[in-house]
Amino acid sequence: VSVWDLLHSHYIPEEHRKELLELFEAGELTLEQVKTVVSTVVSKAAAARAEQTSPAGGPEAEPTGTEAEPTPLQVD
């Protein structure tokens, strides 16, 4: 799967996708940094989904963040 496909998947909210692309186009993020951000978001969403479907993630378990929940982006 390409970074472009992941960037336009349900894992990355439209507002974050636009922000990432603007930062990349402005030269504030390298392609490697964009890859890292996208990979991290997708990995965390997949882990959260796996945790929710596991027996330990029953109704009494605390809710965790989902892929639809926006998280602020930070640029060093």
Side-chain angles (χ1 to χ4, degrees), residues 47-65:
R49 181 174 288 176
E51 186 175 301
Q52 289 176 349
T53 60
S54 71
E60 58 275 355
E62 278 192 43
T64 60

